[in-house]
Amino acid sequence: MSGAYWQPEIETMAPAALRELQAARLRETIARAMQSPFYGECYGRLGLAPESIRTVDDVRRLPFTTKEDLRGHYPYGFLTVPPQETVRLHCSSGTTGNPTVIFHDRHDLDSWANLVARSMYCAGVRDSDVFQNICGYGLFTGGLGFQYGAEKLGALTIPAGAGNSRRQIKLMQDFGTSAIHAIPSYLPRLFDEFQALGLHPAEDTKLRIILTGAEPHSEETRQRLQEMFRCKVFNSFGLSEMNGPGVAFECDCRNGLHLWEDCFILEIVDPETLEPMPDGERGELVLTTLDRRAMPILRYRTRDLTSILPGPCPCGRTHRRIDRITGRSDDMFIVKGCNVFPIQVEKILMKIPEIGSDWLIVLDTVGDNDELLLKVEISPAHFTGDMEALERVRRRIIHEVRDEVLVSPHVQLLEPGALPKSEGKAQRVQDLRKKS
Ligand code: AMP
Ligand code: ZN
């Protein structure tokens, strides 16, 4: 299939055939996993064997695997082969304790690149595109993951790396970049740089597609980015434990993300009871790898919250779609007795035109009480010194956030660029509260 990375025999497979393929691959995966110290011991103790799987629903008989399991058996406890037989490792983000490390052999890397190529094609990227990958290369999977996927697709691929917006823009202009991948918190900064140079991406580059993911972001953020760049923005979901990018991706309908069910088993469970949730209801995403050899992971509790979108997608792909991830169960914080997810605040801010690229929630103890302080950057275009206008914005934020999360925030408006920037994923919550 030259020039195309459309795999209709897999992507439009009849659901019953897809379930059969999954069951067969699940049996193979269990057999393989049992060669690792972790699953060998665990499944051996429970008397689980590949033959106990008749249909894919039998996956529910397996115990869950958690991040703590991965950390507790660091570094080699999940390997089914000697480390010498693997060819690459990646680590998941996270700041404390052992990282979660994932090993790949050649087959795994090839399978992953295939999924990323398929995902990019699904979003409309073609081998005629020039694709610039604007994110960290290294342990973060977005760099090499998209690099190898885009090469497999056949696009001219620019491994631009993170940051240095001016250089990014020069590369985009010099080589006719038509598709980029970057994390959502960086894209407004890139746009600000275009503006600072007196340029517009829609007029001064060939950009037509933006792929973005790795961080929770709302539909409002997508709208804002689309208006800024005047091109289509697609949501890309993945996690290092399941390779990285290429787990689930939006097609041109942009009504949820097709999760590649030939390579993963998709479950949504209630995070408290761990029982399956009906389609359409939000719960924790649980995933099982079906095409990974060096380090299969079964029933992994991702902590990511989403739902299965019912019904077929007009694009014809039969792999089920998940909804935008609204955050991780461990992102939630409790302030004044109310449960809050950062994305609830983000949604509000991204609808306010005067708000710029960056914001931060600071939780602190003042006297005996918790306080929620919102630090918000104003957009360069609205940073004009009109104090009355800014006061109206400040009041609007207080009102709308209070209505949404039931806690009245303090709001500090800041000049553009005032908040600290990182090259990787944005930190949206700083908790300075005294622990009692
Ligand atoms: P890492 O393995 O360090 O790359 O982090 C993976 C995590 O990033 C996932 O478990 C999600 O919490 C988050 N993530 C990745 N892609 C998205 C996305 N499109 N929307 C929301 N969160 C995402
Ligand atoms: Zn579709």
Side-chain angles (χ1 to χ4, degrees):
M1 211 186 316
S2 87
Y5 228 89
W6 160 235
Q7 302 175 321
E9 65 293 352
I10 297 282
E11 292 178 58
T12 63
M13 202 175 215
L18 191 51
R19 302 287 159 253
E20 259 176 51
L21 175 71
Q22 288 187 306
R25 287 190 164 184
L26 176 59
R27 281 189 286 272
E28 284 167 25
T29 300
I30 293 175
R32 228 191 143 78
M34 289 186 76
Q35 294 165 29
S36 73
F38 177 80
Y39 288 114
E41 193 281 321
C42 169
Y43 290 3
R45 182 164 33 85
L46 297 171
L48 288 165
E51 306 80 65
S52 48
I53 301 296
R54 283 183 206 288
T55 73
V56 68
D57 290 339
D58 290 333
V59 73
R60 292 193 206 136
R61 294 167 43 195
L62 307 175
F64 292 100
T65 305
T66 62
K67 201 172 192 86
E68 291 68 47
D69 293 328
L70 292 175
R71 287 199 170 133
H73 295 79
Y74 176 87
Y76 301 129
F78 277 76
L79 273 185
T80 64
V81 291
Q84 296 76 8
E85 284 181 31
T86 63
V87 292
R88 188 171 340 139
L89 66 80
H90 279 281
C91 292
S92 171
S93 50
T95 44
T96 51
N98 288 336
T100 45
V101 56
I102 307 296
F103 295 86
H104 302 273
D105 69 9
R106 264 182 221 295
H107 167 89
D108 299 334
L109 291 182
D110 205 50
S111 167
W112 177 17
N114 178 60
L115 286 178
V116 176
R118 186 200 287 173
S119 300
M120 293 178 74
Y121 189 89
C122 171
V125 183
R126 296 291 177 265
D127 63 353
S128 49
D129 276 298
V130 177
F131 172 70
Q132 189 164 326
N133 195 16
I134 309 183
C135 71
Y137 277 63
L139 293 174
F140 175 58
T141 53
L144 293 175
F146 270 101
Q147 180 69 32
Y148 284 97
E151 288 177 7
K152 207 170 192 72
L153 176 66
L156 168 59
T157 308
I158 309 177
N164 199 341
S165 302
R166 212 155 269 216
R167 183 150 156 263
Q168 300 287 357
I169 293 171
K170 180 161 170 47
L171 289 168
M172 288 173 77
Q173 290 194 301
D174 291 355
F175 299 109
T177 299
S178 50
I180 61 174
H181 164 247
I183 58 175
S185 55
Y186 172 70
L187 286 164
R189 274 194 262 154
L190 180 63
F191 182 75
D192 288 348
E193 194 61 43
F194 268 103
Q195 288 210 306
L197 293 168
L199 301 171
H200 193 286
E203 279 147 27
D204 301 297
T205 76
K206 295 194 170 141
L207 185 65
R208 62 181 198 94
I209 291 180
I210 297 178
L211 312 178
T212 196
E215 297 175 319
H217 59 291
S218 58
E219 192 53 42
E220 285 74 8
T221 293
R222 187 224 299 269
Q223 294 305 339
R224 175 183 266 240
L225 292 171
Q226 294 195 147
E227 279 159 27
M228 270 180 181
F229 285 87
R230 292 192 225 135
C231 69
K232 287 184 179 175
V233 175
F234 292 83
N235 192 355
S236 146
F237 170 77
L239 61 160
S240 320
E241 295 88 329
M242 297 288 128
N243 300 339
V247 175
F249 226 92
E250 282 182 326
C251 65
D252 203 43
C253 305
R254 286 175 296 159
N255 54 358
L257 299 88
H258 289 283
L259 192 137
W260 301 124
E261 295 189 82
D262 57 322
C263 291
F264 302 98
I265 296 175
L266 157 61
E267 297 174 80
I268 305 283
V269 301
D270 180 317
E272 302 292 323
T273 64
L274 302 179
E275 289 302 316
M277 300 288 282
D279 286 3
E281 285 189 32
R282 201 161 278 276
E284 180 176 338
L285 176 67
V286 171
L287 293 171
T288 296
T289 64
L290 290 178
D291 193 29
R292 224 168 48 191
R293 295 192 182 164
M295 190 167 163
I297 302 182
L298 295 104
R299 297 202 89 199
Y300 183 64
R301 290 190 59 183
T302 65
R303 307 266 168 199
D304 290 322
L305 300 172
T306 182
S307 60
I308 294 175
L309 295 173
C313 181
C315 78
R317 290 178 179 83
T318 49
H319 297 230
R320 286 176 297 170
R321 289 162 300 138
I322 55 167
D323 198 5
R324 194 173 271 289
I325 309 278
T326 46
R328 301 170 54 78
S329 49
D330 34 18
D331 275 351
M332 192 192 79
F333 57 86
I334 302 178
V335 59
K336 298 191 174 176
C338 297
N339 296 348
V340 182
F341 281 98
I343 204 160
Q344 294 176 284
V345 173
E346 191 229 57
K347 262 168 132 159
I348 293 169
L349 297 179
M350 291 303 110
K351 272 191 293 201
I352 305 178
E354 291 88 349
I355 299 302
S357 336
D358 233 342
W359 53 278
L360 177 70
I361 296 170
V362 182
L363 303 170
D364 207 349
T365 314
V366 177
D368 286 333
N369 292 318
D370 281 356
E371 293 279 359
L372 193 162
L373 168 65
L374 254 178
K375 296 186 171 185
V376 183
E377 284 185 14
I378 294 296
S379 86
H382 292 93
F383 195 70
T384 56
D386 179 348
M387 298 318 273
E388 274 176 36
L390 290 187
E391 185 51 24
R392 277 196 299 277
V393 171
R394 209 177 65 84
R395 285 215 213 97
R396 175 172 173 192
I397 299 173
I398 295 175
H399 261 94
E400 294 191 14
V401 170
R402 189 177 53 207
D403 285 353
E404 170 74 25
V405 306
L406 309 178
V407 177
S408 210
H410 294 269
V411 174
Q412 229 176 54
L413 297 181
L414 304 170
E415 67 184 277
L419 286 167
K421 311 284 177 242
S422 78
E423 283 213 336
K425 303 190 187 199
Q427 198 67 37
R428 295 302 191 194
V429 182
Q430 200 177 20
D431 196 342
L432 306 173
R433 289 178 291 186
K434 289 191 210 115
K435 303 274 180 276
S436 51

